[in-house]
Amino acid sequence: MKMQKISVLLPNPFGICTYFAEENLMPGRFVQVPFGRTHILGVVWDTPIDESFPDNKIKPIDKMIDDFQLSKENRSFIDWVASYTLSPPGLVLKMALTGAEFDKKSRQPLSFLPPIPGHAEVSFSSSQQKAVDDLTRQVKQNTFSVTLLDGVTGSGKTEVYFEAIAEAIRQGRQALILLPEITLTTAWLKRFEKRFGVQPACWHSGLTPKTRRDTWQAVANGSAQVVVGARSALFLPFQKLGLIVVDEEHDSSYKQEDGVLYQARDMAVVRARLGSFSVILASATPSLETYCNVKSGRYQRLVLPERFQDAVLPEMTLVDMRSKEAKEKGFLSIALKSAIAETLQVHQQVLLFLNRRGYAPMRLCRACGEKLVCPHCSVFLTEHHHPAAMVCHQCGYTRSIPTKCPACGEEGTLISCGPGVERIAEEVAEVFPLARTAVITSDTVSNASAFDALCGQLASGEVDILIGTQMLAKGHNFPNLTLVGIVDADFGLSGGDLRASERTFQLLQQVSGRAGRSVHKGRAFIQTYSPQNLVIQALLKGDRDVFMETEIQARQLLGMPPFGRLAAIIISAGNEQLCQRAAKALISKAPFLNGVEFLGPVQAPIYQLRGKYRWRILVKSEKTIRLQTILTTWLAQLKLPSSVTIRIDIDPYSFF
Ligand code: ADP
Ligand code: ZN
């Protein structure tokens, strides 16, 4: 029998390889093939056969795997993501095959009971009902559409998108809900169960290998109808996907920062376009990109204007920390402290927000000015007291807290600079010794179930004052929480990050929205040293549109996304000279093109990271230009030593 040549995509950087098969296998078939000295899983791909490859080097496949196929839609998606992010297609396939193991079959595979679309009856307010009607109509139509579901926290967005999911199930299609990993809590799952009678399939980093395998297979054979997961769930091999919901669409955790650098919210939209179905983007504080897409008419928008029932937005007070009257000692103002006292008096709860982990962001020698820095990264070590250590927040390097200055040798001259949450907790314990407090940061709460437990404690009234970082923005209903104090509203306002103000605005708005999500009226106190700042002023007035419009003007003026295209190139190497030479060599080959700018190279803001030196080049172009083509041609001109790493980040979210 004549052997046929087939193209197989392998889940590794090599990507497409040619093999012999006994029959002409159609693209999408899974095969096991020899690769080097091992045998791996691959997928027959649509790529034309590489006829230049000598026949005597082509090996036959080991076997076909009949259980599943990767649909055309899934294959196109993988190709699309690879070419957009300039990643090897094999590495994108690898994400899609996480959990795919065919030789290991579970003896008792997990079964996913079908969600029941009509399990619970919900009665909606009129604006909610309008949103429900619009969204279910779109799901029925089976055409590509993107809708922003825009409503303050507590307005019923989850309740409303559940109806769109119900419709997808009725249509016999699968639905995917993407959530930031930390919000995928049992509380969320219980709500789902209350509405649909069963739990959905979950996909996140904490799954056991068996659950991962069972879930992968259930998604591939269509028996898992609804999947809720973190961004990587987007690459599961859905058979008949009919709806994606991206909840908290503005959340920056949708950007994957290692391996394939993709933005899951943007790729969800691509996935929906390829599969001709609807996407719902839900947020109380939409991203500027989405806001602009609504303005230009590309996305639709449904607004849920008021909170469900009587809950009202908090009353905002700005505390100008520059004035002498504002504070005595410590980091909490007099105004905030008396509001805390009043709140505790009536047995309600307080939340204090500061986006800094640990005790103090820096330790400084009073005698010689020495600051403690990480030996592997150019950042200050953060002082932590629980447990006591100096920690690098970039690489995790840890050392004991020194009592002697390492530079001048003086004893007892090192002082803690600025507050972290632990230091605020210390101050709270001094001023309110009887209050029961809890600190919530990624140090104290490392996963969704720990987060859950803490939310439970708060809900049952075991905690009076909760002190925490941005994790706090995510919790759900705490009806008895009526006071929010933002300890330092200025933390994110400076720095070279394109989205710094946007992120600060979103975060502060979400945190202050935690107060009074019930019948009690809430209050929010915002401590700032720059009360005139645009972000702070917009926040005070609760005026998102004013903030957005000003931010849009600024980005438009600079031609920054979403009005232009941006890519960040990071050149890194262990050898400082080598790294610099590579960066200079690269820029010397940069083409001169209309509408394209190469900025740099400059030393990256964190010049040393995990022992590697880093240089940056930013490439900016007009929107009509396909930046990827330019980058590929440019970078292909130069052969760099293998000890130099080039990282290409399209639409970068991190700027360090
Ligand atoms: P969001 O997702 O906008 O934060 P949720 O959907 O979580 O809002 O709604 C907030 C709270 O109000 C939840 O406890 C939810 O169950 C309740 N809720 C919202 N709309 C309704 C409704 N129509 N009927 C009953 N409860 C509702
Ligand atoms: Zn470090």
Side-chain angles (χ1 to χ4, degrees), residues 122-124 128 152-159 191 308 476-477 517:
V122 186
S123 56
F124 289 105
Q128 287 178 333
V152 295
T153 321
S155 58
K157 296 184 297 295
T158 313
E159 225 56 66
R191 278 186 73 181
F308 187 63
H476 247 272
N477 281 350
R517 285 191 64 175

Side-chain angles (χ1 to χ4, degrees), residues 349 452-463 477-480:
Q349 291 165 312
D452 246 358
L454 206 116
C455 291
Q457 278 184 356
L458 200 72
S460 63
E462 288 164 56
V463 175
N477 281 350
F478 307 123
N480 207 31

Side-chain angles (χ1 to χ4, degrees), residues 309-594:
Q309 287 176 340
D310 293 318
V312 275
L313 286 168
E315 174 193 306
M316 305 269 200
T317 305
L318 211 59
V319 184
D320 184 349
M321 298 296 274
R322 297 170 308 179
S323 86
K324 284 204 188 62
E325 297 78 50
K327 57 178 197 156
E328 313 151 288
K329 60 179 174 87
F331 301 96
L332 302 177
S333 60
I334 295 169
L336 179 54
K337 280 190 285 195
S338 56
I340 296 174
E342 286 160 21
T343 310
L344 295 177
Q345 193 106 54
V346 293
H347 305 290
Q348 292 175 356
Q349 291 165 312
V350 179
L351 184 158
L352 297 177
F353 170 77
L354 177 66
N355 213 12
R356 268 194 226 114
R357 292 157 52 204
Y359 183 82
M362 182 172 90
R363 223 167 140 78
L364 167 92
C365 174
R366 223 171 343 117
C368 73
E370 171 79 2
K371 298 163 182 163
L372 295 186
V373 295
C374 174
H376 313 292
C377 309
S378 27
V379 299
F380 298 126
L381 292 173
T382 303
E383 180 178 345
H384 283 249
H385 285 186
H386 303 290
M390 300 298 300
V391 180
C392 171
H393 283 183
Q394 291 299 329
C395 74
Y397 166 85
T398 302
R399 60 159 293 172
S400 59
I401 304 177
T403 53
K404 254 203 300 209
C405 173
C408 70
E410 287 278 330
E411 187 79 43
T413 55
L414 287 169
I415 53 167
S416 311
C417 288
V421 284
E422 292 177 2
R423 200 169 189 180
I424 298 300
E426 184 181 84
E427 186 174 342
V428 165
E430 255 165 52
V431 187
F432 306 102
L434 295 180
R436 296 160 302 170
T437 60
V439 173
I440 171 173
T441 71
S442 55
D443 300 309
T444 58
V445 175
S446 56
N447 54 34
S449 64
F451 185 66
D452 246 358
L454 206 116
C455 291
Q457 278 184 356
L458 200 72
S460 63
E462 288 164 56
V463 175
D464 301 311
I465 304 178
L466 189 63
I467 303 153
T469 56
Q470 59 184 3
M471 260 190 177
L472 281 177
K474 307 257 156 73
H476 247 272
N477 281 350
F478 307 123
N480 207 31
L481 176 74
T482 56
L483 175 65
V484 165
I486 292 169
V487 178
D488 175 10
D490 310 326
F491 67 92
L493 295 179
S494 52
D497 185 333
L498 171 67
R499 293 181 185 79
S501 334
E502 184 191 348
R503 230 158 13 211
T504 307
F505 182 76
Q506 288 162 346
L507 201 53
L508 296 186
Q509 204 177 42
Q510 292 214 322
V511 174
S512 46
R514 293 281 127 214
R517 285 191 64 175
S518 70
V519 286
H520 302 304
K521 172 110 181 122
R523 291 190 289 171
F525 283 73
I526 304 167
Q527 302 191 152
T528 174
Y529 285 89
S530 43
Q532 294 314 318
N533 183 286
L534 172 87
V535 177
I536 306 287
Q537 280 298 320
L539 190 71
L540 186 66
K541 301 194 189 90
D543 203 335
R544 186 180 79 195
D545 290 353
V546 166
F547 171 76
M548 285 294 201
E549 291 303 329
T550 322
E551 186 68 15
I552 284 175
Q553 272 174 19
R555 290 213 205 159
Q556 215 158 11
L557 205 66
L558 297 170
M560 282 296 186
F563 304 100
R565 298 190 186 278
L566 194 65
I569 317 294
I570 297 254
I571 302 109
S572 63
N575 179 309
E576 190 169 6
Q577 271 72 45
L578 196 65
C579 187
Q580 176 171 10
R581 269 206 305 274
K584 298 261 153 86
L586 269 178
I587 204 70
S588 72
K589 298 278 184 201
F592 292 93
L593 292 168
N594 260 340

